[in-house]
Every structure is written in C-alpha cells, then in structure tokens.
Amino acid sequence: MIQTLLHIVDPTTDGDALEMLSHLLARPDQNTTQHLLILGHLHTKTLLALANVDLQQLQSEKRLHTIRSLGWADPSGWRALRRLASRLQPHILQTWGLPSTVAATTCPLPVQRIAVITHPPTVRHCKLLRLCERRGNWSWVTSSSTLMRYLATHGLDTARLTRIRPGVALHNLPPNSRTPSVLKTLLEIRPDEGPIILLAGDGYYARHDFGLWAIAIAQQLFPRIRVIVREPSRGRNQGLDRLLNLLPDNHMTVVAPQEIPWHELVRAADICLVTAVGPVEVSGVLHAFAGGLPVIGLPTECVGELVEHNLNGLISKEMKPRSLAARVEEYMADSTLKWRLTDHARAQMYEEFSVSKMIDSFAALWRTAPVSAVVSTSAQRAAIGTN
C-alpha cells in the first residue's frame, strides 16, 4: 500500500533541513506519495527555491500546499493543518521546524509524526519538544551524533532519537551556478588577493568571532588575505557585527548574502574554517568536502565528528585563535597537503554523506509507520469537527 506523507516547513526551517528535503522530494520513494505544506509567510518559498526544491512541479502535481498567513486566531497553524489533513489523510506528518512540530502535535489524527532537527533548540524549545513528545507519537531525527546527545541531555526520549546523516551531491551543480571568477567579482574580491578563507557553519554555536581573530593573526604573514562570512539564515549575528567593527582592517572581511548557497561559496575560497563550540549546521563543511576545499577546525566534539586531523582536514592543537592561525600557516607552507586531505574528504562523502544513503534511511523510517494509522473519513470529521 502506498503511504501519504506530508512534509511541513515554516520560516524557522534552516538551510541544512531544506537541503535534505530537496533531495527527498527530487528522488521520491516508490511506496510513498510526498506532499509539501508551507506554513507561514512567502519568504519560505524563496528559501525553498534557493535549496533547489522544484515548486512548479509540486504545484502542477497538486502536491504543494500553502498557508500564507497564520494570523492571531491560528498562531501555530493547527486549525489549517487539521483541515488539510482531513482531506489528504496522511499516514505520516514530517516536520522541519518548531512551529511545524507544534502544529502537527495539535492534529488529533492517529498518525506517525517525525521531526527533523538539524540545529540545537534552546532550553525553552526543548521543554516544548518534551511536551509534544508526551502528547503525540513522535520520532526525532537528528543530523549528527553531537546533536543527538544534546537532545538526550535535555530530556528527549533516547529510544525515539535517530541519526540520519545529511546527503550532499558531489556533482551536477545547478545550471545557474556562478563560476569562481564571477563569484569573486560579485563579492568584490580582486584577482591579486588571497588566500580566500570561508567561515563555515551557522547558528548560535558558530563562533565566527573566534575565526576572524585567527585570520587577523594569519594576516601578518599573508597581508592580502580575505575572509568570507555568510550572512546568518536567522537574522544578523550581533556578536559578529560588533567584532567586524573592532577589527583593524574591515577590508579583509566579506559578508556574503544568504542568497548565495554553500555549494557556490566554496568555489570562491581556498580554505574552509570551522569554528564551532557546539552542535552546528554542517552544510558548509560538507560542501567544502564535496568541492575539494581543505577544512581546518577547532578541537571540539562537533567538529571532530566531521573532521579527522591529518586525514580529511586539520584540527588546531588548542582552543586559541593563535593555534588555529598556526594550522592555516602550516597548510599554506605545504603545497601537497591539499590533495591528500581533499581526496580523503571526498571518499568520506561517498561512504557516509551520499544522497542515496540518506534517502534510504528516511525510507526505512517511513516503513516503520503503521499503515492502519489513518482512520476513515467520517471518523476524521467527527474527531476534527467543523472549524
């Protein structure tokens, strides 16, 4: 029997989650019909388009649904979701953000619920997730072991936690991708400047200020060094803005707009720095691996889960900017180091972060959902009522 699955996204859905969703929708499971519900304002549609989600095809197949304005009377979207669920009769509700999770919890249908969590929620939000867990049949999917342990520490049921590594394609870039020279011109980087360093990661635990101080130290040996910082997906980082004003040379820093995806930014850089002190979004790191960009990071648990020193990247000896700058100098002094690191990184991508492996993992999770969970239409209407 073919199952019906409803993906729910909202304005809080981050870039890692949108990229995973785009691969799932592009290569659908044969036993599952996937629908997409956009919960919130139209800006979410723009983010989906940047993640290469084919909205036009979903619209033509009548698998795209939009709730544009939640309004004061329906702040979590639960009323609109109940009406849509009564019509689609989904077997699975898969959410990609906190408001989506709350809306799916309030839906009274006895369906399987799956929440994909790719960035660490706050302590307050963890309390809300625990409340959702008690009120519904939830499974929690995380993108890393570090994030899984973080959620378990904050009270989520470990038996319901599953890790599914995100998948990144190593080829077939979109046809509108810009060349490195065009990207550098767009970012106002001159041909005689370099090396170009990209600060990867996003979210609360991404210490871009740490990376910028390390690059300011390395600038003593490389006066023409430039650093690319991607604009945060959830608003400007006040700590980053404050540090940019304190740096002696603002000219070395480029703030790339959110509209430029990671798979393009890595093509404009020579080195990728990962300065995370906790669970962090991993799209920038994975696209650096896929694009043949060497990765240098801090000696933290979340970075160590992706980067192994002297195998697929370099790890600083200490949690100090000077130690991180020393790794940059070490890499620049060895012209053969890049090929050894990037070859191992690409091999790891094929083994652990392939798109097909991620899709198979989700398909296996969907098969565990009880097909008989959806009740009859009359019973649904009796449970939902006339709202």
Side-chain angles (χ1 to χ4, degrees):
M1 178 178 178
I2 298 179
Q3 297 185 108
T4 300
L5 184 146
L6 179 61
H7 296 285
I8 311 175
V9 298
D10 57 68
T12 68
T13 307
D14 59 72
D16 280 3
L18 290 175
E19 187 164 345
M20 295 173 72
L21 176 60
S22 68
H23 292 308
L24 291 175
L25 293 172
R27 303 185 191 180
D29 182 64
Q30 295 180 352
N31 300 318
T32 306
T33 301
Q34 302 182 61
H35 291 254
L36 175 62
L37 170 62
I38 301 176
L39 199 65
H41 50 70
L42 290 176
H43 177 63
T44 312
K45 266 191 174 182
T46 304
L47 297 178
L48 286 165
L50 291 173
N52 299 318
V53 176
D54 194 345
L55 297 176
Q56 291 184 352
Q57 181 178 355
L58 292 174
Q59 183 73 46
S60 63
E61 297 174 356
K62 297 182 179 180
R63 294 191 292 122
L64 178 64
H65 315 276
T66 306
I67 301 174
R68 296 186 179 180
S69 178
L70 303 183
W72 63 269
D74 190 13
S76 64
W78 65 276
R79 292 178 182 271
L81 176 59
R82 288 168 113 182
R83 290 193 293 267
L84 180 63
S86 67
R87 180 167 60 86
L88 291 180
Q89 303 184 36
H91 298 86
I92 305 171
L93 297 177
Q94 184 156 316
T95 64
W96 301 82
L98 186 65
S100 305
T101 303
V102 174
T105 302
T106 59
C107 183
L109 299 181
V111 298
Q112 179 75 10
R113 297 171 174 85
I114 302 171
V116 182
I117 304 173
T118 54
H119 70 276
T122 63
V123 176
R124 275 179 50 191
H125 291 165
C126 285
K127 292 180 180 179
L128 188 57
L129 291 177
R130 291 199 301 270
L131 178 62
C132 294
E133 187 178 66
R134 290 194 295 268
R135 297 190 57 184
N137 183 22
W138 279 104
S139 298
W140 310 106
V141 175
T142 65
S143 56
S144 67
S145 299
T146 308
L147 185 52
M148 179 184 287
R149 286 189 290 271
Y150 174 87
L151 295 174
T153 303
H154 286 79
L156 291 186
D157 187 0
T158 56
R160 303 188 183 194
L161 285 168
T162 305
R163 186 196 72 175
I164 296 180
R165 289 185 178 274
V168 173
L170 298 179
H171 50 78
N172 295 334
L173 290 175
N176 59 347
S177 295
R178 289 165 277 237
T179 62
S181 58
V182 172
L183 278 171
K184 291 182 179 181
T185 302
L186 179 65
L187 298 173
E188 298 181 356
I189 299 175
R190 295 192 293 270
D192 61 336
E193 294 178 325
I196 312 300
I197 298 181
L198 172 66
L199 293 184
D202 200 354
Y204 176 77
Y205 293 100
R207 288 292 305 274
H208 289 332
D209 54 345
F210 199 103
L212 286 172
W213 279 121
I215 295 169
I217 295 172
Q219 192 181 30
Q220 299 176 12
L221 288 180
F222 308 102
R224 307 293 293 176
I225 198 170
R226 297 296 299 273
V227 54
I228 302 175
V229 184
R230 192 167 183 245
E231 190 175 22
S233 58
R234 287 179 292 277
R236 295 299 297 248
N237 187 316
Q238 294 182 0
L240 173 61
D241 290 340
R242 187 163 53 248
L243 184 66
L244 291 177
N245 294 328
L246 293 175
L247 285 174
D249 183 13
N250 266 342
H251 178 68
M252 81 173 191
T253 307
V254 176
V255 180
Q258 179 67 26
E259 288 72 21
I260 302 180
W262 285 114
H263 66 78
E264 291 191 8
L265 278 181
V266 298
R267 304 174 72 192
D270 302 307
I271 303 172
C272 177
L273 279 192
V274 191
T275 53
V277 295
V280 67
E281 296 178 12
V282 298
S283 285
V285 182
L286 298 185
H287 280 291
F289 284 163
L293 196 65
V295 177
I296 303 175
L298 292 174
T300 58
E301 181 185 13
C302 62
V303 177
E305 187 178 343
L306 297 171
V307 183
E308 186 174 351
H309 178 63
N310 216 22
L311 184 63
N312 63 349
L314 298 176
I315 298 293
S316 63
K317 295 180 180 179
E318 300 176 282
M319 287 285 295
K320 295 181 179 179
R322 188 168 295 278
S323 179
L324 191 63
R327 288 301 188 196
V328 175
E329 297 168 7
E330 176 186 343
Y331 168 77
M332 294 299 296
D334 189 346
S335 59
T336 64
L337 191 56
K338 173 182 178 179
W339 310 112
R340 177 164 56 84
L341 297 179
T342 54
D343 286 346
H344 282 288
R346 279 181 172 269
Q348 183 187 16
M349 292 294 300
Y350 278 111
E351 293 176 5
E352 302 181 23
F353 297 97
S354 66
V355 173
S356 58
K357 189 173 183 178
M358 182 197 71
I359 294 175
D360 292 342
S361 299
F362 272 107
L365 185 63
W366 296 338
R367 285 193 294 269
T368 62
V371 178
S372 59
V374 179
V375 294
S376 63
T377 305
S378 59
Q380 284 182 4
R381 289 173 180 171
I384 293 173
T386 58
N387 291 320

